[in-house]
């Protein structure tokens, strides 16, 4: 709890189905995806939209037409037009950032009711033009005469014409996320067999959580109006028929000769959105809501991207625990974003390592062992998918729901992100 004595509750949260890029949501506008889940949140929580004082939304591959999609969301979802809103980007941890920004607003007493979440539409990423062509087009649009417009295009070559698709590549290292995961697997000695076993578990727990209704409770259908109209109700990447044998047959993608990271033990490119309703404890009580969980602490940390790009959570987790005056052994449930199985297993390894604790964290004992049976009980990003801007909110929603269901006292979310950043959030009940 903050010094202000104001505790922030997770009152409700929903996500859209997470679907592979290029499938069910391929022709949907990114704003419509965010609007759909936010309207569902308001309706299912039976909240008067007039109560919402601020909206914060994560988004990574920013659509050209929406420079601040959070504010567009306010206007599209029928929230009060006087509700301020901002869009945040912290790569895969963007929605975690949106949620902790909301926590800051509420703890300071600047707001009582905030919607935070995120959206990603990898089916429809902004495609950039080459800088010379872009400059020529801007110059042509400003030219006063036809001659001036034509002049703007002088000097352009054929090589300047092809569009440039965005890449999941670190600017400072030139390595893709997958190549970085591959490097981590090698540096930490994470075997192919262990990665595949973790991926299999991700699919099995996700399938089980759909079968027993736990995921149906937190996923709001999206109505797609094109092509005759249909409701998209389920995640579409979970593979019920996968097995260690099938996973073992897949070829490595990011290092074809010596690699261990495959399509099977990586998270897929995904479309999806998630929205969370946060309130101060007092406001929730006044409006008759019982929060599923409260935010106890959070932390961000960053590492040199050229070393182990996705190891940030191994630094953020102990910091968030320290801020909560807790040890890892106190945590009942964990929701860990699975960018790659190699990244999850590397994080476990670092948390268990005395050398890492001494050399990197300045502590004499390891952070601790995470009981695998407490992790990602409704599946992880490998099976469910990973819409960059939304995953942090998906993790918080799932953790809060599972904590409520099990009457668990303490939960931990962790998310790794491009740039070497790690995020961790501690929830309590
Ligand atoms: C890894 C990646 C390149 C794979 O993309 P892809 O080739 O489109 O993946 P697919 O789902 O088509 O899978 C490739 C093959 O493996 C098979 N496969 C994938 N997962 C499988 C599983 N669990 N069990 C059995 N087969 C599986 C597919 O059926 C497909 O087979 P096919 O070629 O015979 O159709 C892509 O998902 C990716 O870039 N992921 C990383 C995203 C990322 O970096 N995120 C940021 C994280 S920080």
């Amino acid at each position: 709890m903050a010094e202000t004595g104001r505790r922030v509750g997770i009152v409700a949260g929903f996500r859209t189905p997470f679907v592979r890029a290029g499938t069910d949501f391929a022709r949907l506008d990114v704003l419509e995806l965010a609007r759909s889940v936010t309207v569902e949140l308001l309706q299912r929580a039976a909240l008067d939209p007039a109560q919402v004082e601020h909206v914060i939304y994560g988004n990574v591959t920013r659509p050209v037409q929406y420079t601040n999609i959070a504010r567009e969301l306010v206007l599209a979802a029928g929230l009060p037009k006087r509700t301020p809103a901002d869009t945040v980007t912290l790569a895969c941890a963007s929605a975690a950032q949106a949620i902790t920004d909301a926590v800051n607003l509420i703890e300071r007493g600047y707001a009582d009711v905030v919607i935070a979440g995120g959206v990603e539409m990898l089916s429809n990423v902004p495609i950039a033009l080459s800088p010379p062509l872009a400059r020529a087009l801007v110059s042509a649009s400003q030219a006063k005469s036809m001659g001036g417009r034509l002049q703007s295009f002088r000097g352009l070559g054929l090589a300047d014409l092809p569009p440039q698709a965005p890449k999941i590549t670190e600017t400072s290292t030139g390595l893709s996320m997958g190549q970085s995961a591959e490097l981590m697997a090698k540096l930490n000695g994470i075997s192919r067999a262990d990665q595949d076993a973790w991926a299999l578990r991700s699919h099995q727990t996700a399938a089980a959580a759909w079968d027993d209704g736990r995921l149906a409770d937190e996923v709001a259908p999206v109505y797609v109006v094109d092509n005759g109209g249909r409701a998209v109700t389920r995640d579409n990447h979970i593979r019920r028929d996968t097995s260690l044998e099938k996973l073992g047959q897949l070829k490595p993608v990011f290092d074809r000769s010596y690699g261990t990271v495959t399509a099977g033990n990586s998270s897929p490119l995904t479309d999806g959105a998630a929205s969370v309703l946060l309130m101060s404890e007092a406001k929730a009580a006044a409006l008759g809501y019982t929060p599923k969980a409260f935010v106890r602490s959070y932390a961000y940390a960053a590492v040199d991207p050229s070393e182990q790009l996705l190891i940030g959570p191994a630094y953020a987790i102990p910091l968030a625990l320290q801020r909560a005056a807790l040890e890892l052994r106190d945590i009942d449930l964990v929701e860990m974003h699975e960018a790659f199985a190699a990244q999850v297993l590397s994080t476990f390894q670092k948390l268990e390592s005395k050398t890492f604790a001494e050399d990197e964290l300045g502590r004499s004992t390891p952070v601790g062992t995470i009981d695998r049976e407490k992790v990602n009980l409704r599946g992880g990003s490998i099976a469910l998918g990973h819409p960059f801007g939304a995953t942090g909110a998906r993790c918080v929603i799932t953790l809060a729901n599972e904590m409520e269901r099990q009457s668990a006292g303490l939960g931990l979310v962790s998310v790794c992100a491009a740039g070497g950043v790690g995020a961790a959030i501690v929830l309590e009940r």
Side-chain angles (χ1 to χ4, degrees), residues 20 92 168 177 203 239 242 247 250 263-264 267-269 339-340 388:
R20 291 167 58 87
C92 305
I168 315 174
M177 298 294 132
H203 287 278
R239 291 174 185 264
T242 194
L247 282 158
L250 300 177
S267 59
L269 300 172
F340 301 90
F388 305 151

Side-chain angles (χ1 to χ4, degrees), residues 96-120:
Q97 184 72 56
I99 287 168
T100 58
D101 284 358
V103 169
N104 291 351
L105 278 179
I106 295 171
E107 283 186 348
R108 290 192 74 128
Y110 293 170
D112 279 308
V113 180
V114 180
I115 290 177
V119 63
E120 207 66 47

